């Protein structure tokens, strides 16, 4: 692995800016939640906690301890990947930032936001299948092509790959769990199938990484990283499924009010 | 026998509840065995391997799908159970019948298809496999029979119950 001098200064930069930016992000959200409490029904505390946890995970994954594109080994990379691509997106989805923003924005701006979310391109992006492809497909590309090695030679590619981890992770989680408003909703069973298929693709990919490491990764590192990817992925998946099923459990109760029984499955 | 015939809506609800009790049990049994397999044979005993070099491509896909599905099934089935309880439609004996059927069905699939046909992995390595395979698959068959007997009994009870109500 070659790490140039430019990458080292890049590393320092990567170490500092997340802390400042992300503290600002957390403060903005907490301030908004406080304002919302003054005008509307109380904003749940767990959402604020989710936001802080999510923002913190992004800060850690974006370089808090792994310091940018300096090659620190595959297990460290996989830890970053879990923080940025799985833990942070799930927590940020649970924080419902769009709902909070819509509560506080002036009507005209709120209309613009909802108009933006209704654009055909955005609707395609938040489709569960597109989101799953962007998320799992991106990982497939990274670990089965020379991209992983290319990434460690260029700060730009490194940044873009990590940005993609986070954004596609967010899209994937948001397209399965409807916490924020969604213009076109898909049924629970459709989303369940997408969830199962994409998490199957994730566990298949971790076993492929186990026996055929990405270029430039030693076998032992690849095996340790692959197992982290497999079992770490399971932990997040259990959390995601539990929240998903809880949403189903609550939705069925709401629909059932008034009519008793299974007449409307 | 039938003093007051139940309304069609109620009968439909009961049939639906009856199938749902069964499905919730089957999914839970399936997930439970998959979890048991992962925790006991992979993690604690290290009898199974994380990846076995003889695994074929289709075996890898099947393993990944089953892993994801069983994880989903375990959690979803428990929420279904909670939903049945909330509707006061839970019939525990039928649910347990489903659990045994699901558990046995998965174990037999694992033992015959995944271990033998797809050659994902074997129960143990460097030992004579035959006794392990026999115990594994016979246990699976017994679970299936137990589950089916319980389900058949609750089916009869439910028919009597419905004509009585």
């Amino acid at each position: 692995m070659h790490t140039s001098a430019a990458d080292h200064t890049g590393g320092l930069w990567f170490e500092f800016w997340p802390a400042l930016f992300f503290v600002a992000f957390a403060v903005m959200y907490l301030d908004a939640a406080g304002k919302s409490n003054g005008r509307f029904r109380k904003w749940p505390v767990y959402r604020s906690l989710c936001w802080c946890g999510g923002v913190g995970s992004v800060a850690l994954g974006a370089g808090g301890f792994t310091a940018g594109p300096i090659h620190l080994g595959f297990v460290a990379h996989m830890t970053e990947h879990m923080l940025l691509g799985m833990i942070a997106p799930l927590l940020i989805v649970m924080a419902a930032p769009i709902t909070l923003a819509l509560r506080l924005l002036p009507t005209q701006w709120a209309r613009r936001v909802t108009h933006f979310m209704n654009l055909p391109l955005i609707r395609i992006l938040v489709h569960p299948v597109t989101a799953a492809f962007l998320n799992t497909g991106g990982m497939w590309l990274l670990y089965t092509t020379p991209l992983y090695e290319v990434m460690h030679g260029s700060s730009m590619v490194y940044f873009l790959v990590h940005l993609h981890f986070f954004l596609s992770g967010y899209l994937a989680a948001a397209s399965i769990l409807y916490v924020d408003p969604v213009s076109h909703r898909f049924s629970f069973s459709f989303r369940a199938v997408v969830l199962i298929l994409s998490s199957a693709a994730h566990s298949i990919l971790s076993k492929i990484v186990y026996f055929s490491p990405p270029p430039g990764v030693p076998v032992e590192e690849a095996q340790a990283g692959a197992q982290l990817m497999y079992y770490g992925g399971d932990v997040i998946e259990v959390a995601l499924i539990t929240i998903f099923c809880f949403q189903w459990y609550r939705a069925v109760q709401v629909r059932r009010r008034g009519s008793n029984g299974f007449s409307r499955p | 026998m039938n003093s007051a015939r139940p309304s069609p809506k109620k009968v439909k609800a009961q049939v639906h509840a009856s199938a749902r009790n069964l499905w919730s049990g089957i999914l839970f049994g399936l997930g439970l065995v998959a979890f048991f397999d992962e925790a006991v044979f992979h993690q604690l005993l290290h009898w199974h391997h994380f990846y076995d070099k003889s695994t074929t491509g289709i075996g890898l896909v099947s393993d990944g799908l089953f892993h994801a599905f069983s994880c989903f099934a375990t959690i979803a089935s428990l929420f279904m159970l909670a939903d049945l309880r909330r509707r006061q439609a839970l019939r525990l004996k039928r649910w347990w019948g489903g659990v045994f059927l699901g558990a046995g069905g998965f174990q037999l699939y694992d033992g015959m298809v995944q271990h033998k046909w797809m050659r994902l992995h074997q129960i143990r390595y460097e030992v004579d496999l035959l006794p392990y395979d026999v115990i594994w698959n016979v246990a699976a068959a017994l679970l299936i029979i137990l589950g089916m007997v319980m389900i058949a009994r609750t089916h009869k009870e439910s028919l009597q119950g419905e004509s009585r109500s």
Side-chain angles (χ1 to χ4, degrees):
Chain A
M1 289 297 106
H2 41 270
T3 40
S4 64
D7 281 348
H8 276 288
T9 51
L12 263 180
W13 175 236
F14 267 86
E15 254 176 301
F16 270 112
W17 70 265
L20 292 177
F21 269 86
F22 293 122
V23 167
F25 271 124
V27 170
M28 266 165 64
Y29 183 97
L30 293 174
D31 178 54
K35 278 183 186 148
S36 162
N37 279 344
R39 285 190 241 161
F40 302 94
R41 198 152 47 96
K42 197 174 175 312
W43 190 254
V45 176
Y46 83 87
R47 286 200 174 149
S48 299
L49 291 176
C50 281
W51 179 263
C52 294
V55 164
S57 307
V58 177
L60 281 176
F65 66 90
T66 44
I70 298 164
H71 188 71
L72 274 175
F74 194 62
V75 178
H77 163 79
M78 205 46 92
T79 313
E80 262 182 353
H81 157 79
M82 279 188 58
L83 281 166
L84 267 182
M86 301 182 96
I87 298 171
L90 181 59
L91 287 170
I92 285 180
V93 164
M94 291 310 290
I98 300 174
T99 308
L100 184 60
L102 287 176
R103 276 191 180 188
L104 294 175
L105 284 173
T107 322
Q108 197 152 19
W109 275 97
R111 274 206 198 112
R112 272 179 210 162
V113 171
T114 44
H115 176 74
F116 175 76
M117 279 164 54
N118 260 320
L119 291 176
L121 180 72
I122 302 297
R123 281 178 63 160
I124 292 171
L125 274 179
V126 299
H127 190 291
V129 173
T130 325
F133 260 103
L134 284 174
N135 191 30
T136 323
M139 258 187 290
W140 214 282
L141 214 63
L142 182 63
Y143 299 131
T144 59
T145 68
L147 184 59
Y148 184 76
E149 208 171 18
V150 170
M151 176 180 92
H152 284 103
S154 150
S155 297
M156 190 62 192
V157 179
Y158 184 91
F159 176 74
L160 288 177
V161 165
H162 283 70
L163 187 68
H164 180 86
F165 264 153
F166 173 70
L167 291 179
S168 65
Y170 174 80
L171 272 184
S175 71
I176 297 294
L177 302 176
Y178 291 155
V179 179
D180 272 326
V182 180
S183 59
H184 184 78
R185 293 175 159 250
F186 291 87
S187 70
F188 279 103
S189 32
F190 182 78
R191 283 178 286 149
V193 171
V194 175
L195 179 54
I196 290 169
L197 289 180
S198 62
S199 85
H202 189 273
S203 62
I204 293 166
L205 181 62
S206 21
K207 292 207 173 177
I208 290 178
V209 170
Y210 184 90
F211 69 79
S212 79
V217 178
V219 177
E220 299 80 46
E221 269 186 36
Q223 293 190 347
Q227 294 198 40
L228 177 64
M229 179 177 171
Y230 187 85
Y231 293 114
D234 275 5
V235 173
I236 306 293
E237 204 208 341
V238 165
L240 196 66
I241 295 170
T242 308
I243 299 166
F244 178 78
C245 289
F246 183 68
Q247 289 184 339
W248 170 81
Y249 181 78
R250 235 176 18 186
V252 171
Q253 184 186 34
V254 172
R255 252 185 300 173
R256 203 168 61 99
R257 228 167 250 165
S259 79
N260 191 23
F262 295 88
S263 48
R264 277 187 289 168
Chain B
M1 227 167 81
N2 46 12
S3 49
R5 187 175 287 179
S7 72
K9 192 178 164 187
K10 195 172 178 191
V11 170
K12 199 180 164 197
Q14 279 175 338
V15 170
H16 202 132
S18 165
R20 236 189 233 204
N21 272 290
L22 198 57
W23 275 111
S24 164
I26 289 174
L27 290 175
F28 184 70
L30 193 155
L32 194 66
V33 167
F35 176 76
F36 188 79
D37 185 51
E38 180 74 51
V40 176
F41 292 105
H42 284 263
Q43 304 280 21
L44 295 176
L45 295 174
H46 290 284
W47 277 10
H48 292 359
H49 289 183
F50 180 76
Y51 171 73
D52 179 335
K53 287 184 185 67
S54 65
T55 307
T56 55
I58 181 85
L60 208 59
V61 172
S62 153
D63 193 37
L65 269 174
F66 255 85
H67 181 72
F69 180 72
S70 57
C71 189
F72 188 90
T74 320
I75 299 167
S77 62
L78 288 175
F79 276 94
M80 281 168 80
L81 180 76
D83 183 52
L84 287 165
R85 257 188 71 110
R86 181 172 64 183
R87 295 165 192 267
Q88 296 173 324
L90 177 65
R91 290 166 58 213
L92 214 49
K93 198 171 165 191
R94 194 165 177 79
W95 188 79
W96 274 107
V99 172
F100 289 126
L101 181 64
F106 178 74
Q107 198 176 323
L108 195 65
Y109 172 82
D110 193 41
M112 302 301 277
V113 178
Q114 302 211 118
H115 289 179
K116 294 296 143 193
W117 178 51
M118 291 176 171
R119 309 200 71 80
L120 270 184
H121 53 242
Q122 300 302 326
I123 298 174
R124 280 194 84 162
Y125 292 82
E126 289 136 22
V127 290
D128 180 18
L129 269 176
L130 189 67
Y132 288 96
D133 280 336
V134 168
I135 291 170
W136 186 274
N137 290 311
V138 167
L142 287 177
L143 278 171
I144 293 178
I145 294 167
L146 176 64
M148 281 166 66
V149 168
M150 282 178 79
I151 292 163
R153 282 200 185 156
T154 54
H155 184 65
K156 219 178 279 171
E157 280 168 22
S158 81
L159 286 180
Q160 284 163 0
E162 267 163 38
S163 55
R164 243 185 275 125
S165 67

